């Protein structure tokens, strides 16, 4: 146990610390906003719904502009794909700011945290964090990981440029002058040194005190001196910036450009910050929707609680937990690729169970209420048909979210142990904890994509439930799922077929959603990480598709006779 327990504990501990940081961030930010709510004028901004939404949109526009300014340049050629996700986050932060300042929010925080699906989410996060923190004595490099957290680049890629202007020597003797720049070499992952004059870098101003020969930097970008930490080469400059001295042997002033790329000494510390940000955004979104759209939220909570109380929900949850645990010990006999099959099987099982729950819930909470005249009672209150459909869809997806979170937490624990289990079964050396951490972090984006696919199917199920009974809804959604995952191959194959076949293929691609956009099974099988820019593109498609499906649902439901 002394060999494998640190390998199992450390990845879980890293995510647990991220959850703890997220809780602290929520408490600090909304604690400050609650104190500011006592200021006259600030705490009453949201008393008028129209004024609250207007102020939230203004604040959201400011947040969105800042996020786009900081993050869009990092998107490269596909930076336009980041626009909609950044706008969504910015608007969410704007609503979180204005409604976090609201005096009613200050007095309702305990209700927010204790109603509906929120306790289930918090309990799942809490159990996961408690497990990780309980394993703290066995964690490897705990202090170094925490020390690397401040070096995580939340904004930018960590590139920093320092320019040292070095005067020429005043005599014929070499004169090493202080560089006068600041850096922390502990966090330097890459370094590039360029100069417009020939210069020499040393670690002292006295040649007799040199620890090694000076490093020569010739003029021109092609003559730049480069350093990479992962190459384990000797750094060209001293670790203490006060010891860096430069000799300019030419007659004109030299401009020496140091381009540092700073990264955490332990890169896995970035997942702590990522987890904390995701937790903060999740709690902000829940609070903002509850306070800004109380009627939709009330319908959503009622729907989610009703679906989670059904025996089917517990059955799907039990099947998911049993299946994931079984996949963890099941010998796939793939000659070393068992963990990839575990990831593929686990995320696919979670997605299938989530889709079953979404379609079933749409049938029971929308179709049955319309047929049983319960919807007429709800709509007799000050609830519009738009709010009814939106609230039902939100509630269904909240119940699916709880299912995803619980099963994903179980899958992450199994993934942390799976490399150890495979090494023991094949009599190999116990892997480093970084292996389990990488498997976990490459699985999280896949789970996000499959949840998006479940949201797309859930939207279709809710729209069809306004007109179709449960069985017909199931059959239709299943057909759409099958065809939707074949849309891309149909379009590709249509190019090499007659015009009629090509037209039919393109027509199907327009009418049926391209669910293949959310399918990254090939990347999982190849062991490749899903880039964040791909997640942004999939999110863009999801938003456009859900809006289109919601409009279709309103067309189907607007003239539906409920009496």
């Amino acid at each position: 146990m002394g060999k494998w327990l640190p390998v199992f504990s450390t990845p879980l501990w890293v995510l647990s610390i991220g959850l703890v940081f997220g809780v602290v961030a929520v408490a600090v930010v909304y604690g400050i906003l609650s104190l500011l709510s006592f200021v006259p004028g600030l705490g009453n901004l949201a008393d008028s719904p129209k004024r609250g939404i207007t102020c939230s949109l203004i604040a959201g526009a400011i947040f969105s502009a800042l996020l786009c300014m900081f993050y869009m340049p990092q998107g490269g050629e596909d930076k336009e794909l980041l626009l909609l996700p950044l706008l969504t986050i910015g608007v969410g932060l704007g609503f979180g700011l204005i409604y976090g300042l609201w005096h009613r929010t200050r007095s309702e925080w305990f209700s927010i945290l204790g109603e509906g699906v929120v306790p289930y989410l918090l309990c799942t996060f809490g159990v996961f964090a408690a497990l990780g923190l309980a394993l703290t004595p066995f964690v490897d490099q705990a202090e170094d990981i925490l020390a690397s957290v401040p070096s995580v680049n939340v904004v930018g890629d960590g590139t920093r440029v320092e320019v040292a202007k070095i005067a020429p020597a005043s005599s014929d003797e070499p004169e090493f002058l202080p560089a006068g720049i600041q850096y922390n070499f502990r966090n330097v992952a890459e370094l590039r040194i360029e100069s417009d004059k020939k210069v020499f870098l040393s670690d002292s101003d006295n040649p007799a005190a040199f620890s090694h020969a000076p490093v020569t930097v010739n003029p021109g970008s092609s003559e730049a001196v480069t350093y990479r930490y992962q190459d384990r080469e000797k750094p060209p400059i001293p670790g203490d910036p006060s010891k860096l001295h430069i000799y300019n042997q030419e007659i004109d002033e030299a401009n020496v450009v140091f381009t540092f790329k700073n990264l955490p000494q332990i890169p896995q510390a970035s997942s702590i910050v990522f987890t904390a940000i995701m937790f903060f955004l999740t709690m902000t979104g829940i609070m903002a929707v509850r306070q800004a759209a109380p009627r939709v939220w009330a319908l959503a909570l009622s729907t989610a609680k009703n679906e989670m109380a059904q025996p089917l929900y517990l059955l799907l949850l039990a099947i998911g937990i049993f299946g994931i645990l079984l996949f963890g010990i099941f010998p796939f006999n793939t000659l070393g690729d068992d963990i990839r099959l575990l990831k593929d099987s686990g995320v696919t099982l979670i997605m299938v169970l989530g889709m079953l729950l979404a379609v079933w819930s749409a049938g029971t909470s929308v179709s049955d209420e319309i047929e049983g005249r319960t919807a007429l009672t709800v709509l007799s209150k000050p609830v519009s048909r738009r709010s009814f459909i939106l609230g039902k869809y939100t509630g269904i997806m909240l119940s699916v979210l709880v299912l995803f979170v619980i099963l994903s937490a179980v899958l992450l624990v199994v993934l942390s142990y799976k490399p150890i289990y495979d090494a023991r079964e094949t009599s190999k050396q116990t892997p480093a904890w970084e292996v389990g951490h990488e498997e976990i972090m490459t699985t999280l984006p896949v789970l996000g994509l499959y949840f998006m696919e479940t949201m797309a199917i859930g939207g279709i199920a809710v729209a069809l439930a306004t007109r179709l009974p449960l069985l017909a809804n199931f059959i239709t959604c299943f057909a759409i799922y099958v065809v939707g995952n074949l849309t891309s191959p149909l379009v590709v194959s249509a190019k090499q077929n007659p015009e009629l076949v090509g037209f039919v293929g393109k027509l199907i691609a327009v009418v049926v959603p391209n669910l293949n956009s959310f399918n990254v099974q090939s990347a999982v099988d190849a062991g490749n990480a899903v880039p964040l820019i791909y997640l942004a593109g999939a999110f863009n498609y999801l938003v456009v598709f859900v809006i289109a499906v919601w409009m279709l649902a309103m067309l189907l439901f607007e003239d539906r006779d409920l009496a």
Side-chain angles (χ1 to χ4, degrees):
M1 292 183 61
K3 293 182 178 180
W4 66 263
L5 199 52
V7 178
F8 169 73
S9 306
T10 307
L12 302 180
W13 180 84
V14 168
L15 295 182
S16 300
I17 293 296
L19 290 174
V20 172
F21 282 12
V23 171
V24 172
V26 170
V28 170
V29 171
Y30 288 106
I32 294 174
L33 293 180
S34 296
L35 293 177
L36 292 175
S37 66
F38 288 100
V39 178
L42 291 179
N44 302 322
L45 280 176
D47 281 348
S48 168
K50 183 177 180 180
R51 183 175 59 192
I53 293 175
T54 302
C55 293
S56 298
L57 291 176
I58 294 173
I62 296 174
F63 281 122
S64 299
L66 292 175
L67 290 173
C68 291
M69 181 178 64
F70 287 134
Y71 291 104
M72 283 196 66
Q74 302 179 36
E77 297 179 355
D78 300 319
K79 62 182 179 181
E80 293 81 7
L81 296 176
L82 295 174
L83 181 60
L84 184 56
L86 293 176
L87 289 177
T88 303
I89 295 174
V91 171
L93 292 176
F95 275 86
L97 173 64
I98 299 303
Y99 283 91
L101 285 169
W102 197 17
H103 64 90
R104 283 189 58 181
T105 303
R106 182 188 69 232
S107 60
E108 293 177 357
W109 264 112
F110 288 105
S111 298
I112 295 174
L113 299 178
E115 66 182 9
V117 300
V118 181
Y120 296 97
L121 294 174
L122 293 180
C123 285
T124 304
F125 293 142
V127 170
F128 188 91
L131 173 63
L133 295 178
L135 296 171
T136 301
F138 309 101
V139 173
D140 189 19
Q141 298 177 293
E143 295 182 358
D144 293 338
I145 295 173
L146 291 176
S148 299
V149 171
S151 305
V152 175
N153 300 305
V154 179
V155 178
D157 60 354
T159 301
R160 187 171 64 90
V161 178
E162 292 278 353
V163 180
K165 298 182 178 295
I166 307 300
S170 58
S171 62
D172 294 336
E173 297 294 328
E175 185 178 1
F176 288 86
L177 303 177
I181 63 173
Q182 296 296 323
Y183 56 86
N184 181 6
F185 210 78
R186 174 183 174 84
N187 301 320
V188 175
E190 296 179 12
L191 170 62
R192 181 181 176 88
I193 306 174
E194 301 178 62
S195 177
D196 58 352
K197 304 291 187 298
K198 185 175 182 179
V199 297
F200 299 89
L201 312 180
S202 69
D203 56 0
S204 176
D205 59 347
N206 183 6
F210 289 169
S211 61
H212 56 81
V215 176
T216 305
V217 183
N218 293 310
S221 59
S222 61
E223 299 292 332
V225 175
T226 58
Y227 163 81
R228 297 177 65 191
Y229 173 79
Q230 65 182 24
D231 294 336
R232 298 297 190 266
E233 298 176 350
K234 189 172 184 179
I237 59 177
D240 185 356
S242 63
K243 293 183 178 181
L244 177 59
H245 290 74
I246 305 176
Y247 165 49
N248 176 14
Q249 72 170 13
E250 301 192 19
I251 59 175
D252 296 322
E253 184 181 67
N255 294 309
V256 186
V257 181
F258 297 81
T259 304
F260 298 92
K261 187 168 185 179
N262 298 318
L263 295 174
Q265 195 73 19
I266 299 181
Q268 290 76 15
S270 301
S271 57
I272 294 178
V273 178
F274 169 79
T275 305
I277 291 175
M278 292 305 298
F279 181 86
F280 179 84
L281 292 178
T282 300
M283 296 307 300
T284 297
I286 290 174
M287 184 275 294
V289 173
R290 182 191 188 274
Q291 300 300 89
R295 294 175 183 174
V296 173
W297 183 254
L299 277 170
L301 284 189
S302 175
T303 303
K305 290 169 64 177
N306 181 63
E307 298 308 320
M308 293 176 66
Q310 300 297 324
L312 176 67
Y313 194 89
L314 296 178
L315 177 62
L316 294 177
L317 196 60
I319 292 174
I321 294 175
F322 176 77
I324 293 171
L325 294 177
L326 179 63
F327 294 151
I329 61 175
F330 185 78
F332 291 99
N333 299 319
T334 54
L335 301 178
D337 287 337
D338 279 19
I339 192 167
R340 294 178 186 176
L341 279 180
L342 166 63
K343 292 165 63 175
D344 189 6
S345 304
V347 296
T348 302
L349 176 63
I350 295 174
M351 180 190 66
V352 170
L353 295 178
M355 287 184 179
L356 287 175
L357 176 63
V359 178
W360 176 273
S361 300
T364 56
S365 66
V366 179
S367 297
D368 289 356
E369 288 195 14
I370 293 175
E371 296 296 333
R373 306 296 187 265
T374 307
L376 183 62
T377 305
V378 175
L379 293 173
S380 65
K381 302 175 181 179
V383 176
S384 65
R385 296 199 177 203
R386 294 189 299 273
S387 298
F388 178 82
I389 291 296
L390 187 58
K392 288 296 181 182
Y393 175 70
T394 304
I396 290 170
M397 295 320 301
L398 283 175
S399 63
V400 174
L401 176 63
V402 173
L403 182 75
F404 256 77
V405 169
I406 295 175
L407 296 183
S408 297
V410 177
L411 178 61
L412 297 186
V413 174
V414 174
L415 280 174
S416 184
Y417 181 70
K418 184 62 174 176
I420 305 168
Y421 180 82
D422 287 350
R424 297 174 67 182
E425 288 295 306
T426 56
S427 300
K428 294 182 179 179
Q429 185 177 2
T430 303
W433 68 268
E434 289 86 354
V435 175
H437 180 271
E438 182 180 1
E439 298 296 345
I440 288 176
M441 297 310 296
T442 54
T443 303
L444 290 176
V446 180
L447 288 168
L449 285 170
Y450 282 3
F451 183 71
M452 293 183 195
E453 187 172 358
T454 306
M455 291 182 67
I457 292 295
I460 296 172
V462 171
L464 295 177
T466 60
R467 293 286 181 172
L468 298 179
L470 178 59
L471 181 59
N473 200 342
F474 253 115
I475 296 173
T476 307
C477 287
F478 176 76
I480 292 175
Y481 172 76
V482 173
V483 178
N485 279 284
L486 297 175
T487 301
S488 295
L490 282 173
V491 174
V492 174
S493 62
K495 296 179 181 179
Q496 302 174 354
N497 286 292
E499 292 186 3
L500 180 60
V501 178
F503 172 76
V504 173
K506 294 178 181 179
L507 179 63
I508 293 175
V510 172
V511 176
V512 179
N514 183 13
L515 299 179
N516 201 52
S517 301
F518 307 106
N519 192 339
V520 288
Q521 182 176 356
S522 58
V524 175
D525 293 340
N528 298 327
V530 179
L532 293 180
I533 196 70
Y534 187 88
L535 286 174
F539 178 81
N540 293 336
Y541 182 80
L542 174 69
V543 171
V544 174
F545 177 76
V546 168
I547 292 175
V549 169
W550 182 71
M551 294 174 65
L552 174 63
M554 289 310 307
L555 289 174
L556 296 174
F557 189 55
E558 192 68 32
D559 60 348
R560 177 69 188 269
D561 185 9
L562 302 179

